[in-house]
Amino acid sequence: MPILYFGNIKKYFESPIRIITVGLNPSKKEFPDPDPFLRFQSMKKDHFYDFNQQYLAALNEYFQDKPYKEWFDPAYEPLLNGLDASFYGNMVNTAIHTDICSSLATNQTWESLSRSEQKNLESSGVPAWHKLVDYLEPDIILLSVSGGHLSKIAFETVNDWETVYTTQMDRPYLVNSKKVVLSSGKQSSIYFGRAAELPFGFISSETKYLIGRHLKKLSDKPEYTPDFNQAYMYSAMDLDQNDGEIFG
């Protein structure tokens, strides 16, 4: 079963701020043994109506019944909470999770697959992700992946990357942003931070929440420009470099 997206799409479209998060591809833990459809109960039922309705119901109900909290909760939920958002539909904004490389789960993690296996999945997965994002028309796209995956984003760029948040740490953690244009002409803001084992894994849940509050301020005041002593500007041409070199 491909997982096109995770979350309640009706509540997402009703949200004042439309937010999507981005990973690489679903984990094999989405289909645990001995009950592979534990997290997608609607797919287990023998219904006689349209299959597409059954499939979409399984996606929309994901966070209502045994979601893979061990990943979603530490990865993105604190950052979303700072934006008055959640995957769980219990805040003003309901977020949707997407995967840029493929909607298919793999037995190995993405980075453990061979390059030929990755390219095979990306050949259909990356275009499908762009079509999904065009359909979702998010205001905010949150992602924390390696620098190489950023180059997969093919939407027209409005401006080069700029740093919008810097943590006070021995090695500062930077959150960088740029705007892209979707096929409808809508502009979406991408916010990126370096990944560890989990998205934004170099910082605590408390810091993620504070970053979310800051991004909420930016979304409330589109013309607001952070006051930095130094302008952190990066050319989109540098995205093939190591993301640590680009973003600190």
Side-chain angles (χ1 to χ4, degrees), residues 59-115:
L59 300 183
N60 291 330
E61 295 166 1
Y62 176 82
F63 286 104
Q64 298 175 23
D65 194 7
K66 303 178 182 64
Y68 182 23
K69 287 192 171 189
E70 292 80 5
W71 192 87
F72 284 102
D73 283 11
Y76 279 114
E77 187 67 11
L79 186 57
L80 291 173
N81 292 169
L83 280 155
D84 293 336
S86 173
F87 289 125
Y88 296 94
N90 54 4
M91 300 189 76
V92 175
N93 304 296
T94 297
I96 291 286
H97 181 73
T98 67
D99 286 300
I100 191 171
C101 294
S102 176
S103 60
L104 297 174
T106 52
N107 281 326
Q108 301 179 52
T109 62
W110 184 263
E111 302 302 340
S112 298
L113 298 175
S114 69
R115 188 62 193 123

Side-chain angles (χ1 to χ4, degrees), residues 142-162:
L142 299 174
L143 77 163
S144 178
V145 296
S146 67
H149 294 299
L150 284 176
S151 62
K152 295 181 174 66
I153 299 177
F155 294 116
E156 178 186 350
T157 297
V158 176
N159 60 291
D160 286 339
W161 291 101
E162 61 179 345

Side-chain angles (χ1 to χ4, degrees), residues 2-237:
I3 310 176
L4 182 61
Y5 61 86
F6 298 75
N8 189 315
I9 203 165
K10 181 177 184 293
K11 287 189 174 183
Y12 166 83
F13 279 120
E14 293 172 348
S15 298
I17 305 174
R18 295 180 182 178
I19 305 169
I20 67 169
T21 59
V22 183
L24 301 183
N25 77 307
S27 166
K28 67 177 181 180
K29 293 183 180 180
E30 298 298 351
F31 303 98
D33 291 329
D35 186 1
F37 288 95
L38 174 72
R39 310 188 198 281
F40 302 98
Q41 292 292 322
S42 291
M43 297 300 288
K44 298 170 66 173
K45 300 173 184 176
D46 187 15
H47 293 309
F48 295 97
Y49 57 79
D50 185 84
F51 175 81
N52 289 342
Q53 295 181 24
Q54 187 173 343
Y55 173 69
L56 292 175
L59 300 183
N60 291 330
E61 295 166 1
Y62 176 82
F63 286 104
Q64 298 175 23
D65 194 7
K66 303 178 182 64
Y68 182 23
K69 287 192 171 189
E70 292 80 5
W71 192 87
F72 284 102
D73 283 11
Y76 279 114
E77 187 67 11
L79 186 57
L80 291 173
N81 292 169
L83 280 155
D84 293 336
S86 173
F87 289 125
Y88 296 94
N90 54 4
M91 300 189 76
V92 175
N93 304 296
T94 297
I96 291 286
H97 181 73
T98 67
D99 286 300
I100 191 171
C101 294
S102 176
S103 60
L104 297 174
T106 52
N107 281 326
Q108 301 179 52
T109 62
W110 184 263
E111 302 302 340
S112 298
L113 298 175
S114 69
R115 188 62 193 123
S116 62
E117 290 170 329
Q118 291 176 357
K119 286 184 175 180
N120 185 44
L121 291 169
E122 288 171 352
S123 63
S124 59
V126 174
W129 181 82
H130 282 79
K131 289 180 182 179
L132 175 63
V133 175
D134 272 330
Y135 174 73
L136 294 174
E137 292 194 336
D139 299 300
I140 292 175
I141 301 173
L142 299 174
L143 77 163
S144 178
V145 296
S146 67
H149 294 299
L150 284 176
S151 62
K152 295 181 174 66
I153 299 177
F155 294 116
E156 178 186 350
T157 297
V158 176
N159 60 291
D160 286 339
W161 291 101
E162 61 179 345
T163 296
V164 296
Y165 192 94
T166 306
T167 62
Q168 301 301 313
M169 300 166 59
D170 291 339
R171 186 187 180 194
Y173 185 87
L174 308 181
V175 176
N176 299 277
S177 176
K178 73 173 180 178
K179 285 186 180 293
V180 296
V181 182
L182 308 183
S183 62
S184 65
K186 178 183 175 66
Q187 292 189 9
S188 296
S189 295
I190 297 178
Y191 295 104
F192 169 87
R194 288 184 295 116
E197 293 184 7
L198 289 172
F200 298 94
F202 287 102
I203 53 178
S204 67
S205 294
E206 292 77 11
T207 301
K208 291 179 186 180
Y209 178 83
L210 292 175
I211 291 172
R213 295 313 297 168
H214 183 72
L215 300 187
K216 177 67 165 53
K217 183 187 298 184
L218 296 183
S219 67
D220 289 340
K221 300 178 181 179
E223 301 304 320
Y224 170 74
T225 302
D227 182 19
F228 292 101
N229 294 326
Q230 179 180 359
Y232 296 90
M233 300 297 292
Y234 301 95
S235 168
M237 298 299 292

